[in-house]
Amino acid sequence: MDLLIKGGKVVTATSTFKADVAVTNGKISAIGTNLKPGKKTEVVDAKGKYILPGALDGHTHMAMPFGGTISTDDYFTGTRAAACGGTTTIFNFETQAPGQPMIDLVNEKLELAEKQGPAIDFSLHVGVGDVTTKEMLYGMDKVVDAGITSFKVFMVYDFGVDDGQFYSTLTHASEIGALVGVHAENNDVNKFLVNKYLEEGKVEPWYHYMSKYEAVAGEADERAINLAKMAGAPLYIVHLDNAQGVAAVAKARAEGYPIFAETCPQYLYFTKEVYKNGRKEVGLRPQDFVCSPPMKGKESKDALWEGIKTGVVSTLATDHCPFLQKEKDWGIVQKDGKTPGNFTTIPNGCAGVENMYPFILSEANKGKISFNKAVEIAATNPAKLFGVDYCKGAIEVGLDADIVIYDPKKNVTINNKKNQHGALDHTVWEGVECKGYPCAVYSHGNLVFDGKDFVGKQGAGKFVKQKKFKTKGPQL
Ligand code: URP
Ligand code: ZN
Ligand code: ZN
């Protein structure tokens, strides 16, 4: 036995109980009362603390070329930040270029990841950029053989799919044991509104929200679900942000369809008001919050919380996609330094990989949801959906010792300069108070966060293979 965490309260998705947790060779080797350490065992006193599985962030964009630049965190700095917030596995999106075989993209990005040196384990989702021919579509097979069984299609952006391509991707994915995620927004309506507002001289970040308001996402959520039903395929809606979409997911699940939804902390905490005022009190401007989809109104925020409580929303992820404030300012003056900018010239995305677990656990600590629910949506369900529950997502004998010791009495106010560990120069979470915080984080039984600093190793994280997706109904 290498490590013995003694006297804490173990939290799983379904139960909470007092137990010691033993770790041997990077795996959880025993869970029980009064476990005895060996001569060389390191013993950690966890009295008054919770023992949780490390979170799995199913939605990150590290080192991603986007919006005329590259997202600020790479596979190392992004995973360092993740680790310091209790997230011990990420799933990074990598998007196929037109004409590029998907497997070439995978090989290229695995090489990039290895070069940058992730601090924690990772896997990939392949963003579908070209399924215009049968040959390109069937390129998915090699990706599944390589251990990546999750894909994402975009109903928006220039590289997005049309409904026919979406339908064929869904159909083929279900044949080969893969799960398709979707970024659901109505592209045509969005484009129409963008042009209208720009013609009217309405260029401020508020019009980013106005051109992607609730129904722009809600209609696409409903259409995506209909396409999945038609294709007889499972579907995962990423970054669900609106009440209409929550209702559509709830209905499809009640009918017995394997429809799953993810939401993100930003949709549970902020509202569209940030596009008017930013958060002046902590120096954040409206453009700092520009991400897609944008934050919505309070009705949607409340519906998402309800969706979590009722099981309609299955997972929490961050959509971590950070850009520097000088890049966010391209909405005022574009990258060339002279052309006036507008809300469409702001790189889309915000940081959050370090904040997801502390945020949702803090909400649990305040009584909004149970700790079990927090563990379920941030760890156990993403592990199941993305086929890594054979090694991650729970405190269970035989699984990787990716463990968070959580102190419910340690309060932390997010301060980008003082206590955040990514590469970004700001965070939308600045000044947010967390009631309770991780005080130790382990990856494969090795300490990576000591409650203050990153103490892990660059390059220690490994690629994790995903099993095939076999779930036929709404239950995981
Ligand atoms: O604004 C965001 N979310 N940027 C990343 C790309 C995406 O759509 O997820
Ligand atoms: Zn997206
Ligand atoms: Zn995303």
Side-chain angles (χ1 to χ4, degrees), residues 115-126:
K115 210 161 94 197
Q116 295 182 343
I120 52 163
D121 288 350
F122 73 101
S123 191
L124 304 180
H125 304 303
V126 168

Side-chain angles (χ1 to χ4, degrees), residues 59 61 66 93 152-154 156-157 182-185 238-239 262 267 292-293 319:
H59 191 151
H61 300 274
F66 199 60
F93 279 102
K152 176 180 176 186
V153 300
F154 298 85
V156 280
Y157 303 133
V182 61
H183 176 138
E185 290 179 297
V238 303
H239 46 49
E262 156 198 294
Y267 306 116
S292 280
D319 200 3

